Amino acid sequence: MKRKFTLQVLGVLTGAVLAGSMPVQPLAVGASRSTRHDVRVGSFNVVGVNADSKARGNQKTWARRRSTVVSQILGEKLDVLGVQEVNQSSIYKRHLHYGITQYLDLRGALNAKGGHYALTNTNAYNCARPTSTYRCVARDMGSSGDNRILYNTRTVTMLKQGAVTYSTHAAGHPNRYLAWAILKMKATGKSFFFTNTHLDPYSIRARRKQWDQMISRINSLHRRLPVIAVGDFNTSKFSDYADTYIPRMKSNGYGDVLNQVPNRNTLTRRRAEATRRAWVGSFNGFRRNAADFGYEDDRHKIGNSIDWIFATNRLRVKAWEVVVNIYTRSLNVKGT
């Protein structure tokens, strides 16, 4: 019997753990409709350890937030995960426990709690000596800065990986990257092309140029494999340029897994067969009450997320979820 390639999609919130429910029949990730032949993916901007100096109020240091991040990822039993803002510098190593960089620290923390995750690339920088930029001799080492791809070694095999450094960046700010990998599901032998990115938050011009380059490079690299593209695009469906890029992703063969369209917070046609907590937006700004970043009074609407998951148009999407942890009545975040 021919096995279908299906997708179990999990949109993971930035910076906080939240919870709620949709008035439709929600498919909890891990429910009976999910099978070992599904691909379970996620996207998570965890906020860099370099932001610890700004930690106050609801914003905690990485050491305080790490266990929550780990419990969310492990709780969703992800096969592949794109993470953003996992800092690559070793100068913060005294704030870390499981590795000298934040992405190594996250991998170590996941595996210390029973996970079996590997990074597609562990090089910090694209230098001949990839652990430091000191006297850097430029060389492509496949580093994607603070954007990384994690995969479950029990369910997934990595076949190939790499990274693209975008050509346009906001002046005075770090480079931005597209991380990519060709991965194979062990249960089915099916391969797919996975990417992770974090588009420039400082310049719309740079963001648009990066998005153009991302589409071009995915098209040149995917080898006709199914595409799954995740990341923090710093773009909501109400952004001025969303009516260019959201349709362009779909016309290039890999549309939004919810089938969102620009300038509308409702769906005219569902793509994901089930959704959970879709009314919650993916950016919370360390605010504790989900009413501040979601449609709590009109939960058939789709939250104004800036984080996206795109996938080949022909792929079946069984479920999509915003992973949140809040009190049902007050909508306040539980814990960190």
Side-chain angles (χ1 to χ4, degrees):
M1 182 177 69
K2 186 177 180 180
R3 290 170 175 166
K4 294 181 179 179
F5 188 102
T6 57
L7 192 62
Q8 187 93 358
V9 172
L10 311 165
V12 185
L13 278 178
T14 301
V17 193
L18 309 166
S21 63
M22 286 286 290
V24 298
Q25 295 177 347
L27 174 63
V29 177
S32 59
R33 286 178 60 190
S34 177
T35 75
R36 62 189 290 267
H37 297 138
D38 295 335
V39 181
R40 299 162 65 87
V41 307
S43 182
F44 203 164
N45 183 324
V46 303
V47 181
V49 65
N50 50 305
D52 278 4
S53 61
K54 300 177 182 179
R56 57 184 57 88
N58 289 326
Q59 181 174 348
K60 307 302 181 185
T61 64
W62 169 245
R64 294 278 301 277
R65 293 184 290 109
R66 180 176 50 217
S67 62
T68 297
V69 171
V70 167
S71 67
Q72 283 188 299
I73 295 170
L74 293 179
E76 305 311 323
K77 299 179 174 62
L78 297 175
D79 296 305
V80 191
L81 172 68
V83 284
Q84 304 90 42
E85 295 193 32
V86 278
N87 191 274
Q88 74 272 35
S89 176
S90 61
I91 66 173
Y92 301 102
K93 60 185 178 182
R94 66 185 181 88
H95 299 278
L96 309 173
H97 182 73
Y98 299 95
I100 63 170
T101 68
Q102 190 178 7
Y103 59 82
L104 292 175
D105 191 54
L106 176 58
R107 181 193 64 181
L110 285 166
N111 294 340
K113 292 296 183 180
H116 299 86
Y117 285 94
L119 290 150
T120 57
N121 188 292
T122 59
N123 291 324
Y125 301 102
N126 288 308
C127 301
R129 187 167 64 90
T131 56
S132 173
T133 56
Y134 180 69
R135 293 184 177 178
C136 176
V137 176
R139 183 177 298 174
D140 182 5
M141 304 298 287
S143 170
S144 50
D146 62 359
N147 302 305
R148 299 287 161 162
I149 298 172
L150 287 156
Y151 65 97
N152 185 340
T153 59
R154 289 198 165 181
T155 61
V156 177
T157 300
M158 185 180 74
L159 303 180
K160 194 172 183 179
Q161 62 81 34
V164 176
T165 306
Y166 291 125
S167 301
T168 305
H169 303 89
H173 292 283
N175 287 349
R176 298 280 162 174
Y177 300 87
L178 174 72
W180 62 267
I182 297 176
L183 304 165
K184 182 171 72 173
M185 294 299 294
K186 292 183 177 181
T188 62
K190 299 287 187 180
S191 297
F192 58 98
F193 186 79
F194 186 94
T195 70
N196 175 40
T197 197
H198 187 183
L199 300 186
D200 198 290
Y202 305 106
S203 163
I204 293 177
R205 176 185 175 274
R207 200 176 309 149
R208 292 173 65 111
K209 291 285 188 180
Q210 290 166 5
W211 206 327
D212 289 335
Q213 188 175 0
M214 184 196 79
I215 291 172
S216 176
R217 293 309 302 269
I218 289 176
N219 289 346
S220 67
L221 290 168
H222 70 67
R223 300 181 180 180
R224 299 186 178 179
L225 292 171
V227 171
I228 303 168
V230 313
D232 181 346
F233 288 76
N234 278 301
T235 301
S236 87
K237 51 185 170 286
F238 293 101
S239 297
D240 291 343
Y241 50 92
D243 57 359
T244 295
Y245 289 96
I246 306 308
R248 186 175 292 176
M249 292 293 284
K250 189 171 184 178
S251 67
N252 274 272
Y254 29 92
D256 171 48
V257 295
L258 286 176
N259 200 34
Q260 296 174 90
V261 296
N263 303 309
R264 292 192 61 170
N265 53 22
T266 57
L267 300 176
T268 55
R269 184 175 61 85
R270 274 184 189 271
R271 181 176 179 189
E273 295 169 12
T275 59
R276 191 176 186 188
R277 310 178 188 111
W279 60 273
V280 180
S282 70
F283 177 74
N284 55 58
F286 292 102
R287 290 167 291 180
R288 184 163 289 278
N289 194 288
D292 294 331
F293 48 93
Y295 291 110
E296 82 286 359
D297 293 326
D298 200 354
R299 297 188 183 191
H300 76 283
K301 293 181 178 179
I302 305 300
N304 298 331
S305 297
I306 62 173
D307 306 275
W308 293 77
I309 297 177
F310 301 95
T312 293
N313 295 331
R314 69 177 183 273
L315 286 182
R316 177 187 177 193
V317 182
K318 294 177 70 173
W320 185 93
E321 179 179 4
V322 176
V323 179
V324 294
N325 186 17
I326 55 178
Y327 292 103
T328 304
R329 291 187 178 180
S330 69
L331 302 183
N332 283 330
V333 174
K334 296 179 180 180
T336 301

